[in-house]
Amino acid sequence: MLFRSDGFNIIEKIYPNGDIRYNIIKNAKINNNYKNTIITEPEENEIDLVITSDLHFGSFQENKYLINNMFDYVIKNNLHIIINCGDFVEGIVNLSNIKIPWDEQIEHAIWEYPQVNDIITFILFGNHDYSLLSNFGQDIRTYIKNRRYDMMPLGYGRSNIKIKNDKLILEHYIDERRTSHEIYKNKIIIRGHGHETKFKMDGVNYIINLPSLSDLNFNKSSFPGMVRLKLQFMKGNINNIIVEQLSIINNQIYTTGEYKIFTGRGKNYKKDTLIDNEEYYIKEYKKVR
């Protein structure tokens, strides 16, 4: 029996003889209202977090030891936020690479992914995750929301996380069409799918391509790993970024690259702007005062 709590979009059909039949709606539409905000204190002007991608739970290349290495690093460095940019599970994109049956992959991933107090994981979903929705009507976001308080599901393909008056744009291709960035200007775009760390400019946008945290590496010269992102804010906007490339080699984490980005945002603001993502009660308190 398939349940709504497992992420399936189910409708009931009622008949005069008392029969109830259940149908799964295989909905290929992408509702990307799944977005989130990291709440900050007004005086908090630095945020330090880890970004990763492409864990491919359920494939022959999944590697829980790499994921445990990442969590060990996060704990040791007193970090609290992880952002995952897609392909959390293998789905059915590559049938020859499926180790866990499609209807068990999400449960398997939830069971294997570590749960640690004070560590929150935001998850964007990619083409492999989307294959479960488009083929079977199973939405991984609903499944996670019903089972893990420490995991925050975002959208498919593209979403964002708001921090102060700024935001990080997250991307992962869900088909062969490439994403246009013409709607963005001077944004930080973090992208999964490529399984290789790269940093580049796209017009006036800064793009960080992520490695895979699995044994599935397209570029044989690349190692699995993640990226540490240190954000510095000025007047509510991301002003400076330090990008630290972290590679996992023989179960050891090494810094294999470091980049510094100056965005200039916030520099020319004539006065402080109101940070609009504070807790609701703080806003109300300010109104009363």
Side-chain angles (χ1 to χ4, degrees):
M1 180 69 178
L2 303 177
F3 299 98
R4 290 188 179 89
S5 61
D6 294 326
F8 291 97
N9 190 2
I10 298 173
I11 61 169
E12 302 89 355
K13 291 187 176 182
I14 312 298
Y15 294 87
N17 62 359
D19 284 349
I20 302 176
R21 297 180 186 177
Y22 300 92
N23 284 13
I24 297 176
I25 299 176
K26 298 180 180 179
N27 187 0
K29 287 187 176 181
I30 303 173
N31 175 5
N32 273 346
N33 291 328
Y34 283 66
K35 299 175 183 178
N36 224 312
T37 298
I38 298 176
I39 303 295
T40 61
E41 296 295 333
E43 66 278 4
E44 192 174 2
N45 288 314
E46 289 191 1
I47 293 181
D48 202 349
L49 48 83
V50 163
I51 49 178
T52 186
S53 190
D54 296 272
L55 276 59
H56 288 273
F57 277 113
S59 74
F60 287 103
Q61 285 78 33
E62 73 167 68
N63 190 327
K64 66 179 181 181
Y65 299 106
L66 295 174
I67 300 167
N68 289 337
N69 279 332
M70 177 182 68
F71 267 82
D72 289 342
Y73 178 88
V74 168
I75 294 168
K76 186 181 297 183
N77 287 274
N78 195 31
L79 305 177
H80 303 283
I81 301 292
I82 297 171
I83 299 174
N84 187 305
C85 279
D87 287 355
F88 189 60
V89 297
E90 177 63 16
I92 61 164
V93 172
N94 184 355
L95 297 178
S96 64
N97 200 35
I98 296 175
K99 180 181 178 181
I100 305 293
W102 72 265
D103 57 340
E104 300 176 14
Q105 287 182 17
I106 302 177
E107 181 180 7
H108 167 73
I110 295 300
W111 179 261
E112 292 292 337
Y113 191 79
Q115 184 171 348
V116 179
N117 287 337
D118 300 327
I119 296 178
I120 302 297
T121 301
F122 293 89
I123 308 180
L124 177 76
F125 299 100
N127 58 312
H128 285 256
D129 309 304
Y130 181 62
S131 68
L132 297 182
L133 177 64
S134 60
N135 287 280
F136 307 111
Q138 187 177 28
D139 191 341
I140 186 172
R141 300 173 299 185
T142 303
Y143 193 103
I144 288 175
K145 267 190 163 299
N146 287 328
R147 287 166 174 80
R148 291 285 293 263
Y149 73 89
D150 60 317
M151 301 173 76
M152 303 292 130
L154 300 171
Y156 287 94
R158 176 186 281 174
S159 196
N160 67 69
I161 298 175
K162 189 169 185 180
I163 312 175
K164 293 186 177 290
N165 290 340
D166 218 325
K167 59 186 175 182
L168 299 174
I169 309 296
L170 311 180
E171 290 185 348
H172 191 120
Y173 299 135
I174 56 172
D175 55 31
E176 292 306 314
R177 292 171 294 179
R178 293 302 181 246
T179 305
S180 171
H181 299 135
E182 293 178 359
I183 61 174
Y184 297 129
K185 184 177 180 181
N186 199 14
K187 292 297 183 184
I188 311 303
I189 299 171
I190 303 169
R191 181 184 292 163
H193 188 72
H195 294 225
E196 183 180 8
T197 307
K198 287 182 180 178
F199 170 73
K200 67 177 184 178
M201 294 288 295
D202 178 9
V204 293
N205 297 303
Y206 306 88
I207 300 179
I208 301 168
N209 290 275
L210 299 174
S212 172
L213 199 63
S214 74
D215 293 329
L216 185 59
N217 291 300
F218 302 140
N219 187 331
K220 298 303 180 184
S221 64
S222 296
F223 292 98
M226 61 270 191
V227 169
R228 182 171 177 175
L229 207 63
K230 300 177 184 178
L231 306 173
Q232 297 174 341
F233 293 82
M234 178 179 286
K235 299 176 182 177
N237 293 271
I238 300 172
N239 192 44
N240 288 290
I241 308 167
I242 299 174
V243 182
E244 187 177 358
Q245 179 182 345
L246 302 171
S247 297
I248 303 177
I249 306 170
N250 295 327
N251 285 328
Q252 296 292 320
I253 297 178
Y254 298 91
T255 298
T256 51
E258 186 170 293
Y259 314 92
K260 295 183 179 179
I261 305 169
F262 172 65
T263 71
R265 292 208 296 281
K267 178 183 177 183
N268 298 320
Y269 282 40
K270 294 181 180 179
K271 61 181 180 179
D272 289 348
T273 56
L274 176 67
I275 309 302
D276 60 3
N277 66 347
E278 294 175 317
E279 293 281 11
Y280 177 76
Y281 72 88
I282 295 178
K283 292 182 180 180
E284 292 303 303
Y285 176 68
K286 287 180 177 179
K287 288 180 182 179
V288 173
R289 293 185 66 189

